[in-house]
Amino acid sequence: MGQESADDLFQRAAEHAVRFRDSISAGPQRPRVSYHASLEEFRQPLPEQGGARLGVIDELVAKAEPGLHAMTGSRFFGWVIGGSHPVGVAADWLTSAWGQNTGNHHATPAAAAAEAVAGSWLLDLLDLPRESSVGFVTGATVANFVCLAAARGDVLRKVGWDVEGQGLFGAPPITVLIGDDAHATVFSALQFLGLGHDRVVHVKTDDAGRILVSDFAEAAGKASGPCIAILQAGQINTGAFDDFEDIIPIAKGIGAWVHVDGAFGLWARACPQRSGLAKGVNGADSWATDGHKWLQTPYDCGYAIVRDEEAHRRAMTIAASYLPLSFEGERDPSHFVPELSRRARGFATWAMIKHLGRDGIAAMVERHCRIAHAMAERLRPEEGIAVLNDVALNQFLVRFGTTCPDDEADRLTQRTIERIQTDGVCFCGGAIWRGRKVMRVSVISWLTDDLAGNVAADAIVAAWRAVRGE
Ligand SMILES: *Cc1c(COP(=O)(O)O)cnc(C)c1O
């Protein structure tokens, strides 16, 4: 075998990967060891001499596997985590093997072209303005950052301030309107951008986390000068959508830039039966969404979508004499993201859309929503269990011990979550909602079918009955 061949390594990695994927359903749906046990497993002095190549890979697998979570399985309902579809993984392996630095189209025409085409497919699938530009980033966190950077630049430019050149010192203040149930990462993005996560105007939300239109109108009425309004498609706990049709015109009426965090919820647009939930969202100026949630690409993959390509480009462009400038009709990936060197995320996105197709994506989204609804309906009649939201999308919240006082119900909910995780039939995590402990269920893996949903719902009921009997 010549130096160049990696045949043995790639074969070995593939064997490990196949065995891992094939074993997920049989094992407990949680890591088998804790962080500290994993740390002990990995902790070794810095190697002074190198190790044999196959041995390194085998050792990595042996050390990592006990601490891996069944995130790619069919009964994983924790957080909002897609299933890393094998087609996306295969494309992503090739992306690594090809080793393309995806800064510009001269360096890697194919990676730049795949992004350009996958980006236009995304606009079509999500039915967003076709003139928008798309930046391929690590996830919705950075997508929120990129979109809000474009927003910051644009609203200040309109009052004669060049934030890209002059920064924020001395700039006119920007009013940021945001709902009380916005995702934590939006506040991080505001923090990175010098807009501050505390100096926002909070707008009240309803019991599902939707911005109250009357409160938004009142806040908008008080805002003066440059303004950014941040809305949401798919609340992380309830899946609720802001009322775009009513709110966006109010925001536009005061000249605000409207940004939408639609990390997973924006994908309702790709599903005819659910697209009504996000009606009017295309009236916004920018949208953040993920590939590694509903599109099932492997980590990491998100999209920053901006209607005004020039605002997007101004906020992100890296200019250096040794980097070629874009020419007419050519697209440099680095003009739409914070990074220069990065992986070619367009390949896995292209492959997933090509594999599922518009119909397959619509059917998958619909199936997840249907399963979430069915699981909630299975839980509702059980004494002591309450489902806290209408299940219009793929997310719901559960509380246990609802016939007990609130503090006791908090304890029972926590206890039931632990019991479910220990039983290991499925995985669900907890959260705090309206000041109280709840269990979250997110149905978003491509592998999850009706049977998996039923088995999981039964396991949740069984765990609750066991806790109630304690
Ligand atoms: C997951 C999520 C984010 C953050 O996305 P990452 O992909 O983790 O960076 C932001 N907003 C919402 C609503 C989310 O669900």
Side-chain angles (χ1 to χ4, degrees), residues 17-90:
V18 169
R19 183 186 40 74
F20 174 75
R21 286 290 179 108
D22 286 351
S23 67
I24 283 177
S25 292
Q29 306 298 294
R30 57 177 154 72
R32 276 174 282 142
V33 302
S34 69
Y35 164 73
H36 290 289
S38 267
L39 196 58
E40 281 319 303
E41 194 57 54
F42 276 101
R43 206 197 297 273
Q44 280 173 348
L46 169 73
E48 299 296 337
Q49 279 88 42
R53 47 200 239 160
L54 278 179
V56 169
I57 296 305
D58 288 343
E59 189 179 343
L60 173 65
V61 170
K63 288 182 181 314
E65 277 194 1
L68 299 179
H69 208 316
M71 290 175 178
T72 53
S74 64
R75 285 174 267 109
F76 180 87
F77 305 103
W79 305 288
V80 187
I81 286 186
S84 289
H85 194 289
V87 169
V89 172

Side-chain angles (χ1 to χ4, degrees), residues 289-354:
T289 194
D290 267 317
H292 56 221
K293 288 179 178 171
W294 240 332
L295 189 57
Q296 316 291 327
T297 67
Y299 285 92
D300 44 25
C301 189
Y303 315 109
I305 305 172
V306 180
R307 181 194 293 271
D308 178 351
E309 176 174 336
E310 280 313 308
H312 192 171
R313 203 191 277 272
R314 266 197 305 273
M316 292 293 136
T317 294
I318 299 163
S321 61
Y322 68 92
L323 297 173
L325 289 169
S326 247
F327 299 105
E328 198 59 36
E330 290 155 347
R331 178 189 179 280
D332 280 337
S334 69
H335 288 178
F336 304 96
V337 299
E339 303 91 346
L340 179 57
S341 303
R342 70 188 171 90
R343 80 186 286 98
R345 295 193 184 89
F347 292 133
T349 299
W350 181 91
M352 281 313 304
I353 298 175
K354 183 83 180 159

Side-chain angles (χ1 to χ4, degrees), residues 389-400:
N389 58 300
D390 289 338
V391 190
L393 201 68
N394 65 329
Q395 309 278 125
F396 62 96
L397 295 177
V398 189
R399 195 157 152 81
F400 299 92

Side-chain angles (χ1 to χ4, degrees), residues 80 138-142 144 183 185 232 234 236 261 263-264 290 292-293:
V80 187
T138 50
T141 304
V142 176
N144 280 321
H183 195 267
T185 58
Q232 179 162 256
I236 185 77
D261 175 11
F264 61 95
D290 267 317
H292 56 221
K293 288 179 178 171

Side-chain angles (χ1 to χ4, degrees), residues 90-138:
D92 201 55
W93 282 359
L94 289 168
T95 300
S96 290
W98 291 334
Q100 301 294 288
N101 181 324
T102 309
N104 68 71
H105 72 273
H106 279 295
T108 174
E115 272 195 17
V117 170
S120 72
W121 285 358
L122 286 168
L123 297 178
D124 194 342
L125 277 169
L126 301 174
D127 195 13
L128 295 175
R130 305 302 193 267
E131 73 271 22
S132 306
S133 46
V134 184
F136 286 62
V137 292
T138 50

Side-chain angles (χ1 to χ4, degrees), residues 15 18 59 89 97 222 234 244 257 262 315 321 338 366 380 446 457:
E15 284 161 22
V18 169
E59 189 179 343
V89 172
K222 288 185 194 152
F244 306 112
W257 175 292
S321 61
E366 178 56 19
R380 275 187 212 275
W446 67 280

